[in-house]
Amino acid sequence: MNDMFVKRASLLASLCLAAGVAVAQPAPVSTQAAGAPASSARAVDSIVAVVNDAVITRKELNTRIEEAKHQLTLAKRPIPEADMLQRQVLEQMIITQVQLQRAKEDGIVVKDADVEQALQRIAADNRLSVDQYKARLLQAGVPWDAFRKEVREQIILARLRDKEVDSQVQVSESEINTFLAAQRGASATPSETEYRISEILVKVPDGASADQVDAAQKKANEALDKAKAGGDFAALAKQYSDASDATSGGDMGFRIPERIPDLYLTQVQKLQAGTLVPQVLRSNNGFHVIKLVETRKQGGEQGMTVPQIHARHILIRVGDGVSEAQAQKKLLDIKAQIDAGKGDFATFARQVSVDGSASQGGDLGWISPGETVPAFERAMSELKDGQISDPVRSEYGYHLIQVLGHRESQVSGDQERNLAMQELRGRKAEQQYRDWLQQLRDSAYVDYRLNTAAQ
């Protein structure tokens, strides 16, 4: 069982969750609640609510209210009236408390190692080391011990949800069939045209001499002539192309017009499917031979499509004598050498990277959304074709990432059904979780003491 990715618990998100759960009205102080036990350590603090056999104090509530205000301010959201905000925050604290109590009954325990791993993921998602993230929190006035406690609680809640709700969700084959049929029929009138393009790129290096440019153009023209003569374009791409998609026959996949370079788009829009742009195109990268393989309309009977990124990376792990600073410096030095033309990314990956992809020059192939850890995926998604990132921190270490290409890939068969199942499971799990949370909240004994607690 994998824990849900744990992030900093934002009261803004918590308030949104609370909005989906009916808020019980404050109950009069009962003699039974008045006698509820409280630790001597809390005796000096007033109690604002009793939740089963636990208490929430004024100090805890005030701390959460200030955090909520801070989060709302950062998100540029209006801050509710004081009474409303107080009630919302307290209700969310109650909901959290009843879940923690259920988790204890279920025997859910989080080890220190699990917390440390989660802290590494959180820091990496913010592109920082754990030490750097800790320093940022301290600057913001957030005690590290308090943050660790909150992370531990979030892991507990994630495991509780998985046990009580997510693991129980089932999706039937008929539900998948209905979902896919609805997706395919969602657009009765197909809208935008998508173009499937193949390319052959003959690169021209920066600062190339006139002879080098002429040689590259001659090579591209030779490939175009063979393609016009009926040669297999995929085979020609493998023979002539310097592009990252050469091994796949130059296939760039289906793309909407917004994701096609203007240089290509103005030409392919004039073509019939299966034909070539009649002349070699020139760009800053080199010379291009372009073929429009086929077109289609979005919607209709087409299968699901997902955006994919072709990437490679170099990974250096932290530990065993390698510090955070040393790992970053090593990758920055490699990037500088590549930029200066003193080395090739794939060669450095084979020599330095500790990932299993090192023998392939760091090549990870075509990556679909969700197939990598969040920090890696976010950094990768911000890169253009050919661009190399600065060192990126993940829980695995530091990465140097290069994006080789983008495409829209059509999925079908088992992969399409799997994506549909994931979508349906997510929808059903969210609704069932809200229902379960409401039932858990309704079954709890809660005594509000806001009106009697010392202000």
Side-chain angles (χ1 to χ4, degrees):
M1 175 172 55
N2 295 324
D3 292 331
M4 161 189 314
F5 184 69
V6 181
K7 296 183 179 179
R8 172 73 171 127
S10 162
L11 259 291
L12 176 60
S14 299
L15 292 175
C16 292
L17 176 59
V21 179
V23 180
Q25 294 300 315
V29 178
S30 66
T31 55
Q32 178 184 0
S39 66
S40 58
R42 288 179 171 176
V44 296
D45 195 2
S46 58
I47 296 172
V48 295
V50 178
V51 185
N52 292 325
D53 60 352
V55 298
I56 297 174
T57 68
R58 166 62 64 181
K59 182 178 180 180
E60 292 169 338
L61 176 59
N62 287 344
T63 298
R64 291 301 182 101
I65 289 173
E66 290 305 312
E67 183 177 349
K69 289 179 180 178
H70 180 65
Q71 294 290 337
L72 289 167
T73 300
L74 289 178
K76 298 181 179 179
R77 297 275 300 276
I79 298 176
E81 294 292 332
D83 288 348
M84 181 182 294
L85 180 61
Q86 177 178 254
R87 185 68 62 193
Q88 288 176 333
V89 172
L90 178 57
E91 184 62 26
Q92 181 55 39
M93 294 176 72
I94 291 169
I95 292 170
T96 298
Q97 185 58 238
V98 295
Q99 289 180 88
L100 292 173
Q101 291 172 8
R102 172 60 68 88
K104 185 176 181 180
E105 293 173 5
D106 288 355
I108 295 175
V109 178
V110 174
K111 299 178 181 178
D112 289 343
D114 297 329
V115 178
E116 292 302 322
Q117 187 177 28
L119 290 169
Q120 291 175 9
R121 289 201 299 268
I122 295 168
D125 195 43
N126 287 274
R127 303 185 184 184
L128 299 170
S129 68
V130 173
D131 289 341
Q132 290 170 330
Y133 192 71
K134 180 178 179 179
R136 289 281 183 88
L137 288 176
L138 292 174
Q139 289 176 1
V142 179
W144 184 245
D145 288 343
F147 180 69
R148 283 177 56 88
K149 178 177 180 291
E150 190 172 340
V151 168
R152 185 184 297 275
E153 289 182 354
Q154 293 302 310
I155 298 174
I156 292 172
L157 297 185
R159 293 184 180 180
L160 176 67
R161 171 173 173 166
D162 185 79
K163 179 180 180 180
E164 296 281 354
V165 181
D166 292 357
S167 62
Q168 309 300 320
V169 174
Q170 300 294 327
V171 177
S172 68
E173 290 297 313
S174 62
E175 287 176 312
I176 295 175
N177 293 337
T178 301
F179 176 83
L180 291 175
Q183 290 293 307
R184 290 167 179 160
S187 179
T189 305
S191 54
E192 192 168 32
T193 300
E194 294 179 312
Y195 299 86
R196 184 179 177 189
I197 301 170
S198 289
E199 70 166 347
I200 296 172
L201 166 63
V202 180
K203 287 187 177 179
V204 174
D206 293 338
S209 65
D211 288 342
Q212 288 177 306
V213 173
D214 289 340
Q217 186 172 15
K218 182 179 178 181
K219 182 179 177 181
N221 280 322
E222 181 177 313
L224 177 60
D225 290 340
K226 290 184 177 181
K228 286 180 176 180
D232 184 278
F233 195 93
L236 291 172
K238 294 176 182 178
Q239 178 184 352
Y240 287 92
S241 183
D242 299 319
S244 59
D245 51 30
T247 56
S248 60
D251 189 356
M252 299 171 63
F254 279 100
R255 297 191 179 192
I256 60 175
E258 289 77 11
R259 297 200 63 245
I260 300 175
D262 290 340
L263 178 68
Y264 299 1
L265 184 61
T266 56
Q267 297 294 326
V268 299
Q269 286 179 328
K270 306 172 185 177
L271 300 178
Q272 296 293 322
T275 60
L276 297 155
V277 174
Q279 70 278 350
V280 168
L281 304 179
R282 179 71 161 97
S283 75
N284 292 333
N285 291 330
F287 295 94
H288 307 258
V289 179
I290 304 298
K291 178 180 180 179
L292 176 60
V293 180
E294 58 181 315
T295 64
R296 72 181 184 194
K297 296 290 187 179
Q298 292 181 340
E301 292 298 319
Q302 303 299 334
M304 299 173 65
T305 61
V306 295
Q308 292 183 322
I309 298 176
H310 187 191
R312 57 185 177 184
H313 77 140
I314 299 170
L315 171 65
I316 295 181
R317 298 190 189 280
V318 175
D320 296 329
V322 180
S323 69
E324 300 264 352
Q326 288 172 331
Q328 292 183 71
K329 184 178 186 302
K330 179 70 172 178
L331 291 178
L332 286 172
D333 288 344
I334 291 174
K335 181 180 180 181
Q337 291 183 64
I338 295 173
D339 290 342
K342 297 181 180 179
D344 174 74
F345 194 104
T347 301
F348 278 116
R350 293 187 183 96
Q351 295 173 348
V352 176
S353 183
V354 297
D355 185 65
S357 64
S359 60
Q360 288 80 45
D363 197 331
L364 299 171
W366 289 99
I367 303 171
S368 299
E371 290 184 343
T372 62
V373 294
F376 189 102
E377 182 169 318
R378 185 180 61 234
M380 176 181 67
S381 66
E382 294 175 354
L383 298 174
K384 298 178 180 178
D385 290 4
Q387 188 176 3
I388 300 175
S389 71
D390 287 329
V392 176
R393 185 66 161 97
S394 80
E395 61 261 40
Y396 299 108
Y398 279 93
H399 310 256
L400 201 63
I401 306 169
Q402 184 179 36
V403 164
L404 302 175
H406 292 76
R407 74 180 184 187
E408 294 287 331
S409 179
Q410 183 177 345
V411 297
S412 59
D414 291 342
Q415 189 178 8
E416 183 180 41
R417 296 186 69 82
N418 184 56
L419 288 170
M421 183 185 68
Q422 291 180 32
E423 174 68 20
L424 288 169
R425 284 193 82 253
R427 293 180 186 181
K428 294 178 73 172
E430 187 60 33
Q431 183 57 54
Q432 290 184 29
Y433 173 64
R434 288 178 177 271
D435 293 343
W436 172 82
L437 201 58
Q438 184 68 66
Q439 293 170 8
L440 188 66
R441 170 64 181 82
D442 290 345
S443 66
Y445 169 77
V446 179
D447 176 23
Y448 290 89
R449 297 189 178 184
L450 276 173
N451 295 332
T452 60
Q455 301 297 318

